[in-house]
Amino acid sequence: MSKMNDLDLRLNEAENQLDQAKDAIHSIRELLSSNQDAVPCDGQPKRNTFEDKVTVRKMLAKKSAEGYTAQVKELLHKFGAEKLSDVDPNDYEDLYYSAEGLGQ
């Protein structure tokens, strides 16, 4: 009887592992299908503007904390903005590198 219980336990473990593998495959397929939509016809990946904005915000906050608050405000004005949310998302990369150069 104990051999049957042991086999039943092993079978249950194998079924659980199979279910986990199926879930992982499903998740990977969802990621792959969502990434296909993210690739435009020109072959360049689309940028995630939310993540870019967060990255730029961190750089601006860092430079402001280092004592370059006036320069950060001036830089935002150069991009036609009073605050980061007013900046055109297409300018995030240029703004980031411009801010990175403050104080160097």
Side-chain angles (χ1 to χ4, degrees), residues 8-87:
D8 189 47
L9 181 63
R10 287 184 184 186
L11 182 59
N12 285 337
E13 287 176 10
E15 287 175 341
N16 288 337
Q17 290 175 348
L18 182 60
D19 287 340
Q20 289 174 354
K22 285 179 183 178
D23 290 342
I25 289 170
H26 179 71
S27 297
I28 291 169
R29 283 187 175 148
E30 283 181 355
L31 280 171
L32 288 174
S33 67
S34 69
N35 282 342
Q36 287 174 351
D37 296 337
V39 179
C41 297
D42 64 359
Q44 295 292 323
K46 289 184 180 178
R47 301 204 41 110
N48 183 328
T49 56
F50 178 77
E51 289 180 12
D52 288 349
K53 187 175 185 178
V54 169
T55 303
V56 172
R57 186 179 309 278
K58 286 180 183 178
M59 175 57 72
L60 295 176
K62 175 184 170 192
K63 290 301 180 175
S64 185
E66 291 174 358
Y68 300 107
T69 304
Q71 291 89 336
V72 167
K73 287 182 182 182
E74 189 177 309
L75 193 56
L76 286 171
H77 288 190
K78 285 182 183 178
F79 284 88
E82 289 293 319
K83 53 190 177 183
L84 181 57
S85 59
D86 296 336
V87 175

